[in-house]
Coordinates of all heavy atoms in Angstrom, one line a residue:
I272 N -161.5 -57.5 27.7 CA -161.4 -56.2 28.5 C -160.7 -55.2 27.9 O -161.0 -54.0 28.0 CB -160.9 -56.7 30.0 CG1 -161.9 -57.4 30.7 CG2 -160.4 -55.4 30.7 CD1 -161.5 -57.8 32.0
Y273 N -159.6 -55.6 27.0 CA -158.8 -54.6 26.3 C -159.6 -53.8 25.4 O -159.7 -52.6 25.3 CB -157.8 -55.3 25.5 CG -157.0 -54.4 24.6 CD1 -156.0 -53.5 25.1 CD2 -157.3 -54.5 23.2 CE1 -155.4 -52.7 24.2 CE2 -156.6 -53.6 22.4 CZ -155.6 -52.7 22.9 OH -155.0 -51.9 21.9
K274 N -160.5 -54.5 24.8 CA -161.6 -53.9 23.8 C -162.5 -53.0 24.6 O -162.9 -51.8 24.1 CB -162.2 -54.9 22.9 CG -161.4 -55.8 22.1 CD -162.2 -56.9 21.3 CE -161.3 -57.7 20.5 NZ -162.0 -58.9 19.9
L275 N -163.0 -53.4 25.7 CA -163.9 -52.7 26.5 C -163.3 -51.4 26.9 O -164.0 -50.3 27.1 CB -164.5 -53.5 27.6 CG -165.5 -54.6 27.2 CD1 -165.7 -55.4 28.4 CD2 -166.8 -54.1 26.7
M276 N -162.0 -51.5 27.4 CA -161.4 -50.3 27.9 C -161.1 -49.2 26.9 O -160.8 -48.1 27.3 CB -160.1 -50.8 28.6 CG -160.3 -51.5 29.9 SD -161.0 -50.6 31.3 CE -162.7 -51.2 31.1
L277 N -161.3 -49.5 25.7 CA -161.1 -48.5 24.6 C -162.5 -47.7 24.4 O -162.4 -46.8 23.6 CB -160.8 -49.2 23.2 CG -159.5 -49.9 23.3 CD1 -159.3 -50.6 21.9 CD2 -158.4 -49.0 23.5
I278 N -163.5 -48.1 25.1 CA -164.8 -47.3 24.9 C -165.1 -46.7 26.3 O -165.3 -47.4 27.4 CB -165.8 -48.4 24.6 CG1 -165.5 -49.1 23.3 CG2 -167.2 -47.6 24.3 CD1 -166.4 -50.3 23.0
E279 N -165.3 -45.5 26.3 CA -165.7 -44.7 27.6 C -167.0 -45.3 28.1 O -168.0 -45.3 27.4 CB -165.8 -43.2 27.3 CG -166.0 -42.4 28.6 CD -166.0 -40.9 28.4 OE1 -165.7 -40.5 27.1 OE2 -166.3 -40.1 29.4
G280 N -167.0 -45.5 29.5 CA -168.3 -45.9 30.2 C -168.6 -47.4 30.2 O -169.6 -47.8 30.8
C281 N -167.6 -48.3 29.6 CA -167.9 -49.8 29.6 C -167.6 -50.3 31.0 O -166.5 -50.0 31.6 CB -167.0 -50.4 28.5 SG -167.8 -50.3 26.8
L282 N -168.5 -51.0 31.4 CA -168.3 -51.7 32.7 C -167.8 -53.0 32.5 O -168.2 -53.9 31.6 CB -169.7 -51.9 33.6 CG -169.6 -52.5 34.9 CD1 -169.0 -51.5 36.0 CD2 -170.9 -52.9 35.4
T283 N -166.7 -53.5 33.3 CA -166.1 -54.8 33.1 C -166.1 -55.5 34.4 O -165.8 -54.9 35.5 CB -164.6 -54.7 32.5 OG1 -163.9 -54.1 33.4 CG2 -164.7 -53.9 31.3
Y284 N -166.0 -56.8 34.3 CA -165.7 -57.8 35.6 C -164.4 -58.5 35.2 O -164.3 -59.2 34.2 CB -166.9 -58.7 35.7 CG -168.2 -58.2 35.9 CD1 -169.0 -57.8 34.8 CD2 -168.6 -57.8 37.2 CE1 -170.2 -57.1 35.1 CE2 -169.9 -57.2 37.4 CZ -170.7 -56.9 36.4 OH -171.9 -56.3 36.6
Q285 N -163.4 -58.2 36.0 CA -162.1 -58.7 35.7 C -161.5 -59.6 36.8 O -161.5 -59.2 38.1 CB -161.1 -57.5 35.5 CG -159.7 -57.9 35.2 CD -158.8 -56.6 34.9 OE1 -159.2 -55.8 34.1 NE2 -157.8 -56.4 35.7
Y286 N -161.0 -60.6 36.4 CA -160.1 -61.6 37.4 C -158.7 -61.6 36.9 O -158.3 -61.7 35.7 CB -160.8 -63.0 37.3 CG -162.0 -63.2 37.9 CD1 -163.2 -63.0 37.3 CD2 -162.1 -63.6 39.3 CE1 -164.4 -63.1 37.9 CE2 -163.4 -63.7 40.0 CZ -164.4 -63.6 39.3 OH -165.7 -63.8 39.8
E287 N -157.8 -61.4 37.9 CA -156.4 -61.7 37.6 C -155.8 -62.6 38.6 O -156.2 -62.6 39.8 CB -155.6 -60.3 37.8 CG -156.0 -59.3 36.6 CD -155.2 -58.0 36.7 OE1 -154.8 -57.7 37.9 OE2 -155.1 -57.3 35.8

Side-chain angles (χ1 to χ4, degrees):
I272 289 178
Y273 171 77
K274 295 175 182 177
L275 289 171
M276 289 294 100
L277 297 178
I278 308 172
E279 185 179 356
C281 276
L282 184 76
T283 67
Y284 299 89
Q285 177 177 306
Y286 287 87
E287 291 182 338

